[in-house]
Amino acid sequence: MPDQQAVAMRILLNGEPRDLVGPLSVAGLLQQLGLDGRTVAVELNRKVAKRVQYGATLIGDASEVEIVAFVGGGSGRGSELS
């Protein structure tokens, strides 16, 4: 299999332009950002990316990527539903 050529690309990441070197998968982007793929949700070009496919899902030039981190917390009290 031939080596893929590195290419410069610009994406929109959470609304901000970012220059990257591709090809780059969703998993590769998360790794570059120091994020754990198990604790975030990723939207690529307005579609939710499936976590099991992060490694195979490629981000292209001019892609729009939104990353949302899960945050735990709450009041610390038990459920008050009755």
Side-chain angles (χ1 to χ4, degrees):
M1 183 156 109
D3 291 332
Q4 293 182 349
Q5 293 281 331
V7 295
M9 60 184 193
R10 176 169 279 196
I11 67 168
L12 202 57
L13 177 60
N14 290 353
E16 299 289 328
R18 177 158 310 208
D19 293 319
L20 301 169
V21 176
L24 186 64
S25 67
V26 170
L29 176 62
L30 293 175
Q31 183 178 21
Q32 282 188 16
L33 297 172
L35 298 172
D36 183 344
R38 298 171 297 179
T39 63
V40 297
V42 179
E43 183 181 277
L44 177 60
N45 297 322
R46 303 187 186 268
K47 294 183 181 177
V48 175
K50 295 185 180 195
R51 186 170 292 114
V52 296
Q53 296 179 337
Y54 282 178
T57 303
L58 293 180
I59 299 170
D61 188 41
S63 288
E64 293 182 26
V65 181
E66 294 288 331
I67 300 174
V68 179
F70 300 122
V71 178
S75 68
R77 299 186 315 205
S79 175
E80 296 179 7
L81 296 176
S82 25

